Amino acid sequence: MISAIRAATRRSLATNLRATSSSLNSCTSSPSLAPRWSCTPPSYRQYTTHPTLLMPVKTIDVPTMGDSITEGTIVDIPVAPGDYVHEDDVILVLETDKVSIDVRAPEGGKVLEILGEVDDIVEVGSGLYKLDTDVEAPAGGAPAATEEAPDAAAPAETVAAAAPVAATPPPAAAPAPVKKAAPAAAPLPAMESITTNLGNRPERRSKMSRMRQRVSVRLKESQNTAASLTTFQEVDMGNFMEMRSRHKDEFQKKHGVKLGFMSVFVKACTAALQEIPSINAYIDEESKEIVYRDYCDVSVAVASPNGLVVPVLRNTEYMTFADVERTIALFGQKAKDGALSLDDMSGGTFTISNGGTFGSLMGTPIINQPQSAILGMHATKMRAVVDEKGNVVARPMMYLALTYDHRLIDGREGVTFLKSVADKITDPARLVFDI
C-alpha cells in the first residue's frame, strides 16, 4: 500500500513539473495570453509532500549500549551492501567492553551501504549503515548469495611431455693414467654435527577482543589498587558429598536441576558475609568512606568463549539451594550463547571463583574491584588426614583461598570468615540450624 502511494506521489509530481514547463513556455511566447498564476517562477511555488514518501533511505545510527559505554568495535557483518533484509535481521555485531550486541534492522529493506568495516571503532549515535525501505521484498524471500563465477584463468592442461627425454650422452673419454702419490697421513675423524632439526616453528597473531582488553585492564587495576592478601584453609567435603549422594536424585526430580557444589558454597558464604560485615563492604575512594551493604549479591565467575564473565546472583540471603542451582545453570547457558546482558553482570558484593572445575589444586584469586574479597574453590582430592580419634584416613579434601583487601579487612576478619565457610561445608547441618 505504501509503495503504491509513493508511486502515485511521484507520478503527480512529474505531471506538475510538465504542466509548469508548459506554462513557462506559454509565458515566454505569449505573456499576455497566459494565465497570471502560471507565470509565477517555479522557485516561488510550494509543494507539500510527506518526507517518508520521498526519502526512503534511512541512516541507522549506533544504538545506546549502556550508561557507561560510549563506543564499540565492529566484529562481524553478516550481510553485504545490496542484500535485502527483513525486520529484526542482524546487520552488524558490535563488541563492547562488557558484552556483544546485535544491531538489527528496524524494518525490511535493501542495505545500501555499511559505514564501517570489521575492527572499526564506532561511537554511540554515529551513522552505522544505510537502509532503503522503499525496495520490495523479493518473491520467495531474500535472494540467495550469488554463486561464485568459475575461475576466469583456468589452469592450462598439463603438457603430456614437459620436456623431451634427454638423449643419452656420449661416453666420456677414458681418463689419463694418474701417477700413484705417496700415501697421505690418516685424516682425523670428523666431529658429529650437534645441529638438531627443530622442524616447522610457525607463529600467529590474534587481535585481543574488547572484552579481553577490559578484563586485563581491570585485573591490573585490582592489583595496583588493593592491598591484596590471601589466606588458605582446607575443608573436608565428605559429609556434604555423602548427603548430596543420598538426595541428588530426589532433588533433581523435585526441582528439575542437579545439585552441585556451588549452591552450598553460595549459601555458606552468604551466611558468613552476614556474620562478618566488613567482607561485604567496600571503600568509596572519592569520599574516603567505608560502605557496608546489608544485602548479599554474589558474583560467580563463569568461563565464556570471549573470556571470563561474572554474572551476579542477587539477594542470595533469600535464595534456596534450588534457586542458586537454577540461576547458575541459566547464566552458564547464556554465557555459552553470548547472551549475557549488562544487567546480568553489574553490581556484586562478593565473588566466588571455582577453578576446581579445571583441576586446579590451589591458587590465589584476584579481587573483582570494587569488591573487597573473593573466594577461590579448587579441586577435591583424596588425601590422608588424621581424624578425631587419631587414625590416618583418606578423605576428600579441598583447598579454599580467600583473597581480601587488607586496607579494609584485618587478618582476624579474613581468617574468621574463611574458617566459618569451611565449618559450614564440613558440617552442612550448621546451615540448617544457622550456626
Side-chain angles (χ1 to χ4, degrees):
M1 182 66 181
I2 294 177
S3 301
I5 294 174
R6 291 173 177 165
T9 303
R10 293 194 184 95
R11 288 195 298 270
S12 176
L13 288 177
T15 304
N16 290 339
L17 291 176
R18 285 194 297 270
T20 301
S21 176
S22 175
S23 299
L24 289 178
N25 292 335
S26 62
C27 288
T28 305
S29 58
S30 303
S32 59
L33 299 179
R36 185 174 180 179
W37 62 269
S38 63
C39 297
T40 304
S43 59
Y44 293 99
R45 298 181 189 173
Q46 298 181 352
Y47 296 95
T48 303
T49 57
H50 197 283
T52 58
L53 298 178
L54 298 180
M55 298 182 63
V57 177
K58 296 183 179 180
T59 300
I60 309 301
D61 297 333
V62 178
T64 301
M65 297 174 285
D67 295 338
S68 60
I69 298 177
T70 59
E71 62 182 19
T73 301
I74 301 176
V75 295
D76 187 21
I77 306 177
V79 301
D83 290 352
Y84 183 87
V85 294
H86 298 277
E87 182 178 356
D88 209 36
D89 283 354
V90 177
I91 308 299
L92 298 97
V93 179
L94 299 179
E95 186 180 67
T96 67
D97 299 340
K98 299 180 179 180
V99 69
S100 295
I101 296 178
D102 295 337
V103 180
R104 300 178 180 273
E107 56 183 301
K110 178 181 179 181
V111 178
L112 296 181
E113 183 180 2
I114 305 292
L115 305 177
E117 298 179 354
V118 174
D119 295 335
D120 284 356
I121 297 177
V122 292
E123 296 183 353
V124 172
S126 62
L128 194 56
Y129 67 93
K130 293 184 178 181
L131 183 68
D132 187 354
T133 59
D134 196 26
V135 177
E136 294 290 341
T146 307
E147 296 183 359
E148 295 183 1
D151 241 349
E157 296 183 359
T158 307
V159 182
V165 179
T168 304
V178 180
K179 296 181 180 180
K180 293 184 179 181
L188 295 175
M191 296 184 64
E192 294 183 2
S193 173
I194 60 174
T195 303
T196 304
N197 183 17
L198 299 179
N200 190 18
R201 290 156 36 100
E203 292 183 358
R204 59 189 182 90
R205 292 175 179 262
S206 176
K207 187 174 181 179
M208 291 179 66
S209 65
R210 290 182 65 89
M211 186 180 296
R212 174 58 62 184
Q213 294 179 39
R214 183 57 180 168
V215 168
S216 62
V217 169
R218 284 182 55 82
L219 291 177
K220 193 58 184 174
E221 285 178 352
S222 177
Q223 288 183 328
N224 294 340
T225 302
S228 298
L229 180 63
T230 304
T231 184
F232 299 92
Q233 185 64 253
E234 64 178 359
V235 57
D236 189 340
M237 299 293 297
N239 291 334
F240 174 73
M241 293 175 67
E242 181 183 355
M243 183 180 71
R244 174 175 174 264
S245 178
R246 288 200 311 266
H247 302 291
K248 64 179 182 180
D249 295 336
E250 187 178 358
F251 183 91
Q252 184 174 3
K253 181 179 179 181
K254 180 177 180 179
H255 300 289
V257 66
K258 293 182 179 180
L259 177 61
F261 284 175
M262 286 302 299
S263 55
V264 69
F265 274 96
V266 168
K267 295 301 294 181
C269 289
T270 300
L273 288 173
Q274 294 175 321
E275 297 170 1
I276 313 294
S278 60
I279 307 294
N280 205 39
Y282 73 97
I283 298 176
D284 189 337
E285 300 289 351
E286 295 183 0
S287 61
K288 303 301 180 184
E289 295 176 339
I290 299 175
V291 181
Y292 292 92
R293 291 171 286 201
D294 297 330
Y295 58 92
C296 299
D297 287 353
V298 179
S299 304
V300 180
V302 176
S304 73
N306 295 327
L308 186 69
V309 293
V310 279
V312 182
L313 305 173
R314 305 193 186 279
N315 291 106
T316 54
E317 66 271 22
Y318 301 121
M319 299 179 73
T320 64
F321 280 67
D323 293 335
V324 173
E325 292 293 351
R326 275 194 294 262
T327 308
I328 291 177
L330 175 63
F331 283 149
Q333 186 60 45
K334 292 176 71 174
K336 291 180 181 179
D337 298 339
L340 283 173
S341 65
L342 295 176
D343 293 336
D344 293 333
M345 297 181 287
S346 61
T349 64
F350 182 78
T351 297
I352 300 177
S353 177
N354 187 5
T357 56
F358 305 105
S360 173
L361 182 63
M362 186 179 292
T364 56
I366 299 177
I367 299 173
N368 182 20
Q369 289 284 333
Q371 299 174 14
S372 298
I374 179 173
L375 177 73
M377 298 168 52
H378 299 93
T380 301
K381 301 289 185 182
M382 297 297 294
R383 291 201 298 273
V385 296
V386 180
D387 63 9
E388 297 177 353
K389 298 180 180 180
N391 300 320
V392 178
V393 294
R395 299 292 293 173
M397 305 297 292
M398 176 191 291
Y399 287 119
L400 299 180
L402 178 72
T403 300
Y404 57 93
D405 191 346
H406 211 353
R407 299 177 302 165
L408 171 62
I409 303 170
D410 294 332
R412 181 187 63 179
E413 283 77 14
V415 174
T416 302
F417 173 86
L418 187 58
K419 188 65 169 61
S420 176
V421 173
D423 290 343
K424 290 175 173 58
I425 300 298
T426 301
D427 185 7
R430 290 176 172 271
L431 290 173
V432 178
F433 297 114
D434 192 19
I435 56 177

